[in-house]
Amino acid sequence: FKNLDLSDNEKEIAKRLLTEITHRLQFLLDVGLGYLTLNRASNTLSGGESQRINLTTSLGSSLVGSLYILDEPSIGLHSRDTDRLIHVLRELQQLHNTVIVVEHDEEIMRAADHLIDVGPEAGSEGGEIVFEGSLDDVEKMKGKETLSHTVRFLNGTERIATPSSRRQWNLAIEVKGARMNNLRGIDVKIPLNVLTVVTGVSGSGKSSLIKGILYCRKDKNKHCHNKNNS
């Protein structure tokens, strides 16, 4: 779009349209979606991709003085993409908007200007404001008694230790030549009788591999893949 060969008359006619299109495309690049093709069907996008497209739509509207409320926008995002998400949220805030995020992600919490922690536990044990303040206030609470689990983990008072050993496996389900959306003929072994995490950046093919190919119930998943290609 930046290199379209147009006549002077065409440039004048398309000036406003090209400005909007190039701005939207730049926002998509800024949040790491430059690999998507414009003819990609929206129902094949991952959750993380859809979240970021919605955010860029909001950013592209250039609203000011607005209140944005986002409920866990990091869902479906790989940690590599969190910085890009924070950058988009900051751009919304710098346009003189108010941005409120309901979130569990540590990086997003650390990027916030103000933290409000509700707790201290879930269900009937929750419902109270157990902490409110900045990240500097979180650090000042280190070693002090507080009902906030969030504060204790953020300032290092509490930690979850890494297991010293992992369960071994010898049986596995093997998938060969998997092709679906972004998957390009991959082979993979999935161990049995252990806890396996399938991870990767947003749009890398995690859901396609597991929900589209490995275990696909056509009554539950409209994206079930053709058995001839998996």
Side-chain angles (χ1 to χ4, degrees):
F1 277 90
K2 287 182 178 178
N3 299 307
L4 285 178
D5 187 14
L6 302 174
S7 67
D8 290 341
N9 185 48
E10 288 171 333
K11 286 180 181 177
E12 189 62 33
I13 293 171
K15 182 178 179 181
R16 181 61 183 168
L17 290 172
L18 288 175
T19 299
E20 286 296 320
I21 290 170
T22 53
H23 280 182
R24 295 294 177 93
L25 292 176
Q26 187 58 52
F27 289 140
L28 292 175
L29 292 173
D30 290 342
V31 294
L33 295 176
Y35 59 86
L36 288 180
T37 57
L38 293 179
N39 65 347
R40 175 81 175 268
S42 61
N43 62 0
T44 67
L45 297 173
S46 71
E49 288 167 337
S50 298
Q51 284 266 17
R52 281 182 285 164
I53 285 173
N54 290 336
L55 283 172
T56 57
T57 300
S58 297
L59 190 60
S61 66
S62 298
L63 292 175
V64 296
S66 299
L67 171 65
Y68 287 90
I69 300 176
L70 301 160
D71 191 358
E72 299 192 55
S74 68
I75 286 179
L77 288 184
H78 188 272
S79 56
R80 186 203 70 167
D81 299 314
T82 304
D83 283 342
R84 290 169 171 159
L85 173 60
I86 292 170
H87 175 73
V88 170
L89 297 178
R90 274 293 174 198
E91 283 202 45
L92 283 174
Q93 175 258 318
Q94 287 164 5
L95 288 171
H96 302 289
N97 295 300
T98 298
V99 182
I100 299 174
V101 184
V102 179
E103 190 54 84
H104 301 279
D105 183 86
E106 181 178 351
E107 289 183 62
I108 295 178
M109 285 191 282
R110 290 190 179 279
D113 296 315
H114 194 76
L115 288 169
I116 300 173
D117 190 25
V118 183
E121 302 289 348
S124 61
E125 301 297 320
E128 300 177 26
I129 302 299
V130 290
F131 174 81
E132 183 175 356
S134 66
L135 198 61
D136 287 339
D137 296 326
V138 169
E139 292 301 323
K140 290 174 184 176
M141 294 291 293
K142 191 168 186 176
K144 297 181 180 178
E145 281 295 321
T146 174
L147 292 174
S148 171
H149 292 292
T150 302
V151 168
R152 293 204 295 266
F153 276 104
L154 285 176
N155 63 27
T157 302
E158 287 189 20
R159 296 181 184 275
I160 298 176
T162 302
S164 57
S165 63
R166 305 284 187 181
R167 181 183 296 177
Q168 298 300 307
W169 60 274
N170 53 19
L171 298 176
I173 296 172
E174 189 168 1
V175 178
K176 290 187 175 183
R179 293 182 181 276
M180 184 179 183
N181 295 330
N182 294 333
L183 298 178
R184 298 181 178 87
I186 66 164
D187 299 339
V188 64
K189 282 186 177 181
I190 300 173
L192 299 177
N193 304 317
V194 294
L195 173 63
T196 299
V197 176
V198 180
T199 185
V201 296
S202 180
S204 58
K206 304 180 295 294
S207 297
S208 297
L209 174 64
I210 302 303
K211 296 175 69 176
I213 293 175
L214 176 67
Y215 181 69
C216 188
R217 293 179 57 186
K218 291 188 178 180
D219 59 327
K220 297 285 186 180
N221 188 351
K222 62 182 177 181
H223 305 308
C224 278
H225 199 47
N226 188 324
K227 65 181 179 180
N228 296 324
N229 295 328
S230 62

